Amino acid sequence: MRNTFAGRLAVGLLLVAASASAQLDAAQQKCVNTLNQDAAKLAKAQGKDNLACLKAAGGGKLASGQTADECLLADNKGKIAAARAALSADAAALCVANPPSFGLPGGTAAAVINAVVRDQSLALLADVLGASLSTGARDCAADKPGCQCQQAIAKAYEKLAATELKVFLGCKKAALKNGATSSAALEDCIDEDADPNSIDADSKGKIAKKAAKIADAAMKKCATANTAVALPGLCAGRTGANLGACVADLVDCRVCAMLNLTDGLAVNCDEFDDGAENLSCPRDTFTLKSPAEPNHTPGSPGVTALAALVTQQESDGAVNLNNARFTRFRASPTATEPDAILVLVPGFEGGANDFKLLAENLIARVAADDGLTLEVWAYDRRSNQLEDTAGLDIAEAIDSPLVGLDWLFGGELALPLSPQLVSLGRRAVFFNGQADTAFIADWTPLTFSRDIDAIVEKARTVARNGNVFLGGHSAGTGFVARYAATNFNLTGSGPADPGYAKLRGLVLLEGPGGSTSGTPLTADSLDRIEAKFDGGLFGAVRDNAARCVDGTTPCTVATEASACAAFTNKKCTTPTTAYSTSALLNARILAAVEPAAIQGVSDPDTGQIILQVDQGAPGNNAVAKVPDLSSLAVLPQATVEGGIGSFIDDDGIIASLASFVATSVGATGPLLGPLTTWLDNSEPLPPTALPDNGPAPTTLPGGVWGQEVEASRFDRVLTTFFAGHSNFTDWYYPSSGLSVTSVSGVCTSGTCTAGNVGASCSSSAQCSQSVSLDSTALSVGRGRRDIENLTEAAAIDIPVIGFGGSNGLAPVPGRFTPFAQSIAACTAPSCSGAPRVVDASTPNPAFPTFGDVAGGFEVYISEGYSHVDVLTAEDDSTNNVLAPLSAFIGRNAQ
């Protein structure tokens, strides 16, 4: 049946399902139908080449000097080139003058011609026969059963794929002829079982017949073969009908992905292939169901989504934000079982792509150092689901920064809607920080721990021996520490279900994690936490006014005793915004980097950054016309790298105010006319870009020290801002919900009357308390495990490794001491029983003596690295992250 948006969040490369649009005329219908026919012919041509190469490899008949993998791309008979040429000619003749408003990816056939069809056909071969045909193809003379099994299965699955494409084309033709006005009607031709013409319905049984042929081949041709060797892909080792069903599901996956990409659809292929959200359909970004269903959240029982969210997500009102989303980085999409998985949590206003470069570098390093297959699963907080990136995905696919600009800011710039956005019928939806997103107030730290737990539990089923590690960057280390310290048994009875027990180790990147050393919470603080959670904060955010625990009664902290007298809990909650927003960093500024970065891939340092370029009239540019971008006016007129570099570079004015964006990407270059250019780290840099910040400190909290380096390559950093289905930022960082377990009071007569009682403060100051890694007073003492259940910190017995940058926010190892002193001794096989902290003062508090490998607590500082460099730096002699982290994973993967 048709999928809700919650199931569509992670499909394909394009989220371009249409909203209301006009019926296609006869010429437009001919365009999309002909291109589907041509795509099917191209798929068939590649499939025939795949079979021919498989047979040639098995029979020792490959062309002289050619490997089986080279054969797959050689187009030996020219049939693929001919099919591509036909597709290109038909696209030019039928689709350019009168382009259809839906039915093509972003309104162009270029992606279909250049890559999509061949990619999916080759991927299907790899899904079944393994990542390399050169090593996977069986020698027919040495292994006749294996050879026959391979060829029979491959021949049968190619026929199934061709049949599914043919059924879709027939259904699509009928849908268009009958007046379809959106992509939704075409999606029904894949996954709507109520549509008799769809692939899913298979009303004529043609698909079932071809699928049965695969099962027949499995039983007859593979009966005596070692299928773990003959079919070393995703169905390795299966036999008989089970093997046939597995291969048929792989065909469903790849055909669905191909149609999503060739027709601009948004079917959930992971659910379509076998009826379940279970990672069975290889792709980059995945969505899992979270067990957390907070109050007021769209998708929670009885909650209706606001209209703007429904419009954004184009899901007929069925919006569900109770999901755990992650991007899966891996060396090969067909690797059957990784030796280990590292789950990573981004920091303040960060997204999954924060870890793109770290993942790419670390996966290669672990393979080289330890011979292990590592995957990195990068987490996107549930707030990332609010980001309206459909038009940005189109802009990325067609390399058009102008389409991205139009999507985000075309209304303020009075631009005509780009043709590529017509199928969406709108521009981006942004949400305000009060009534629109008040439900974020209910997204507590425990909510995110439960989201992360859904990913960890899934990873444990995928990795060999359940080898799962959890790490985080910056504020993400707090999420990691809380996860490890959480008892996920929220019932209050029975054995604990601690987060740390599901992991092989913890990784802390430029953040100290947390500690149990905070001042015990007062009764007043506990009351205020409960009042916030039970409704006070939701109402205060929604109305932007202080509220009693019911969320509707007005109050002030000074008058709460009388204003909230009707309630048992008489504490008043003050207002805040739902998500973190400021003039310096807000949702639109965070979004704005994507079209600029897309521009930078092809024009990094010549033309003016598109945010500053006038559109049709002097002064009509995004920085000048969009109020939320006004703070960007402090940046110079610049190229892409000049503009973005001036924002994120550690020596720039923005990074000095918002150090969590600081990245070492070079220095300002010479003017190109009026434009500031950029010198990246491959070019000669002025001495001012590489200062020596002096010797290492000896006391805490420590500070910047050492010889600075420009560690991050700008061209690679640019891709992290937009590539794939995630990005570098979290437009709607959920600060209100994360603040539930911290409280503020007021000062009277110089003494704080709420929070840290007895502390001295000025009459106008506020004092505060927050839950440390031990919430026993709240979760056990008051039975409020629904708010927080941090009871396991002192029992954490797994290895920990920490990383800092001497020019970052964790510049000295001593920043990690409180966490090390809060947890138990390490009992992992790699530890010898040594203490986590051998001596907190020797040689000095900034550089204490940790237990290192023997004690299961290691800390490494990269000299000269800024805050983000620990994620983005190249694997060179300055990098003190990749080698130690590779070794850590290698010795702790069991």
Side-chain angles (χ1 to χ4, degrees), residues 318-527:
V319 176
N320 188 345
L321 298 181
N322 294 319
N323 301 300
R325 194 171 85 173
F326 65 96
T327 294
R328 187 179 189 181
F329 297 100
R330 45 190 171 165
S332 169
T334 56
T336 55
E337 183 184 46
D339 294 299
I341 294 173
L342 172 60
V343 179
L344 290 173
V345 181
F348 178 65
E349 294 191 339
N353 265 15
D354 290 15
F355 303 110
K356 180 177 183 289
L357 303 187
L358 176 68
E360 293 169 357
N361 294 334
L362 183 63
I363 288 169
R365 167 66 81 145
V366 170
D369 290 353
D370 307 295
L372 298 179
T373 298
L374 174 71
E375 291 188 5
V376 174
W377 291 13
Y379 169 57
D380 266 328
R381 279 174 288 268
R382 56 175 52 205
S383 43
N384 285 90
Q385 298 174 57
L386 295 170
E387 297 176 6
D388 194 2
T389 61
L392 294 174
D393 289 330
I394 294 174
E396 175 189 348
I398 63 176
D399 300 319
S400 175
L402 184 59
V403 169
L405 183 79
D406 184 20
W407 174 251
L408 296 174
F409 312 121
E412 289 93 337
L413 298 174
L415 299 178
L417 189 66
S418 298
Q420 295 87 351
L421 301 177
V422 169
S423 63
L424 298 175
R426 60 181 181 84
R427 293 186 170 92
V429 173
F430 288 91
F431 302 109
N432 69 43
Q434 305 295 162
D436 280 357
T437 52
F439 50 79
I440 291 177
D442 294 305
W443 295 357
T444 63
L446 179 59
T447 296
F448 292 99
S449 289
R450 299 183 75 189
D451 291 349
I452 294 168
D453 192 51
I455 297 172
V456 168
E457 289 287 8
K458 174 57 67 175
R460 292 175 73 200
T461 70
V462 175
R464 177 178 60 83
N465 296 335
N467 288 326
V468 178
F469 299 80
L470 180 64
H473 175 244
S474 190
T477 64
F479 287 79
V480 167
R482 283 178 175 271
Y483 176 87
T486 294
N487 175 7
F488 288 95
N489 178 356
L490 304 180
T491 66
S493 62
D497 180 22
Y500 73 85
K502 307 178 185 187
L503 305 168
R504 300 292 188 217
L506 302 178
V507 180
L508 309 178
L509 295 153
E510 262 286 290
S515 78
T516 58
S517 60
T519 304
L521 292 170
T522 65
D524 179 86
S525 292
L526 292 169
D527 287 344

Side-chain angles (χ1 to χ4, degrees), residues 36 96 253 276 376 413 462 782 871:
N36 261 132
V96 174
C253 165
V376 174
L413 298 174
V462 175
R782 296 199 175 194
L871 307 182

